[in-house]
Amino acid sequence: MNPILVDVYRGSVLESFHRGVVCVVNEKAEIVFSAGDINQLCYPRSAMKLFQVIPLLVNGGMEKFGLTLEEIAVMCGSHNAEPEHLRVVNSILQKIGLTKDALNCGPQYPSSKRDANALIKADQKPHHIHNNCSGKHAGMLATCILMGWPTDDYINPEHPLQQAILNTCSLMYEYPKEKMITALDGCSAPIFSVPVYNQALGFKNLVSTSTLSASLQQACKTIIEAISTYPFMVAGTGRYCTDMMNITAPKIIGKTGAEGIFCMSFTQQKIGVCIKIDDGKMLPQYNVAQALIEASGLFTDQQLAPLHKYAKDELKNFNKLVTGDINVTKELFSNLAIA
């Protein structure tokens, strides 16, 4: 059984808790910190987006279509579908000669409540472009146009695009593709199962690229630069990925995934991290990620003050009365050494 990572108190009583796994690997692929079963198999979910965009970059798609770093960032993102996100996704589609109707990620109300309410008030239904993965899908379509592949079935696991992504993921995660179990993500694109350790290894390989080809090294550098420069495109208002990287990037970059996944790269130390919350809740992954960042010693308390609420926060009821708090298990990262 994996250890308890996050405690939830009501008053002074432990009311609930979240178990999970944490794995931190260094440049030599050595485990420098772990908690729980790091060989646990799970899906990276949206944390895999940073690898799904690589085939576009290594084949010259950025240059071919004149794509910007902002556009690459939204391809890596799980955005709120705020107006700026839609602007950038539409820009990608225009550059590759397609419209939003080519997207096949599924209609979804914007993650931003404000923008979801605006659609409802206007008596409009959500479109595929409002899906939080529409940036990723625009990038997939761009790769198809670049390579001369059909676009109508680009989410088919047997499509050459998805096979290229599978090969890329196998390389970056250092995990045999024959062992990867293919399923469909929430946006209907294929997703591949990978142990927690290998997910940490993948995010280490994003920033430790000496063994990779020159084109792959440049692709990884572009991804890090894009999401560090435009963290808003990765998530949006009130989202941890954006809030975190506004302060920590480019020293630390991070990407959430559904069902309790959070992965990070420490770019200067060449370190990769994967966090998996067993019950799939989303908030605990941010609690653990923020506690790890605070324990790393790379930033001052003053620098991290706007993010501390993610590590430990009061819980309030509908009357705004404090009912308890949520915090990472004491001493979880007491032996962590990164800086």
Side-chain angles (χ1 to χ4, degrees), residues 66 75 139 217 286 288:
M75 293 178 190
Q217 288 185 39
Y286 308 136
V288 176

Side-chain angles (χ1 to χ4, degrees), residues 44-51 173 199 203 255-257 261 263:
R45 302 298 295 272
S46 285
M48 206 174 88
K49 287 176 177 173
L50 276 65
F51 304 114
Y173 287 127
Q199 291 190 45
F203 269 69
K255 181 68 186 73
T256 186
I261 285 286
C263 293

Side-chain angles (χ1 to χ4, degrees), residues 211-226:
T211 62
L212 303 178
S213 67
S215 61
L216 198 48
Q217 288 185 39
Q218 182 57 48
C220 292
K221 180 181 178 182
T222 298
I223 290 165
I224 300 299
E225 184 180 4

Side-chain angles (χ1 to χ4, degrees), residues 47-253:
M48 206 174 88
K49 287 176 177 173
L50 276 65
F51 304 114
Q52 288 168 305
V53 75
I54 286 177
L56 174 68
L57 297 174
V58 298
N59 286 293
M62 191 172 184
E63 297 77 13
K64 171 70 174 180
F65 299 118
L67 297 170
T68 66
L69 288 174
E70 188 178 33
E71 289 163 343
I72 299 302
V74 84
M75 293 178 190
C76 298
S78 301
H79 62 71
N80 279 346
E82 296 175 71
E84 284 299 288
H85 298 126
L86 303 185
R87 173 187 63 80
V88 176
V89 176
N90 274 316
S91 176
I92 297 167
L93 293 170
Q94 184 178 23
K95 288 180 178 180
I96 64 175
L98 297 176
T99 70
K100 62 183 183 181
D101 292 327
L103 297 168
N104 202 7
C105 43
Q108 176 190 13
Y109 274 104
S111 302
S112 163
K113 289 184 178 180
R114 177 194 62 198
D115 295 290
N117 288 338
L119 277 183
I120 294 170
K121 289 179 180 179
D123 196 26
Q124 295 179 3
K125 294 182 178 181
H127 189 276
H128 296 263
I129 198 169
H130 296 108
N131 189 299
N132 75 95
C133 297
S134 66
K136 176 182 80 175
H137 280 250
M140 289 180 171
L141 287 167
T143 309
C144 291
I145 297 296
L146 176 71
M147 303 302 294
W149 294 331
T151 59
D152 56 345
D153 64 339
Y154 71 93
I155 59 172
N156 185 327
E158 300 303 319
H159 191 283
L161 166 70
Q162 302 303 337
Q163 288 298 302
I165 291 173
L166 173 60
N167 290 331
T168 298
C169 287
S170 178
L171 176 65
M172 295 300 293
Y173 287 127
E174 298 186 35
Y175 191 67
K177 65 179 182 180
E178 293 78 15
K179 290 187 176 182
M180 290 181 176
I181 301 169
T182 301
L184 297 183
D185 210 337
C187 65
S188 298
I191 196 77
F192 316 117
S193 63
V194 183
V196 168
Y197 166 75
N198 294 84
Q199 291 190 45
L201 205 57
F203 269 69
K204 183 274 293 185
N205 287 333
L206 274 174
V207 294
S208 176
T209 61
S210 60
T211 62
L212 303 178
S213 67
S215 61
L216 198 48
Q217 288 185 39
Q218 182 57 48
C220 292
K221 180 181 178 182
T222 298
I223 290 165
I224 300 299
E225 184 180 4
I227 65 175
S228 296
T229 307
Y230 296 99
F232 183 79
M233 288 295 126
V234 180
T237 305
R239 298 275 302 282
Y240 181 67
C241 289
T242 294
D243 291 347
M244 183 200 88
M245 288 192 288
N246 274 334
I247 292 172
T248 65
K251 291 183 179 180
I252 304 175
I253 60 97

Side-chain angles (χ1 to χ4, degrees), residues 283 287 308-315 324-327:
L283 179 57
N287 301 142
H308 185 65
K309 63 182 180 180
Y310 288 106
K312 178 181 174 65
D313 199 16
E314 293 181 333
L315 298 176
D325 58 43
I326 181 168
N327 56 81

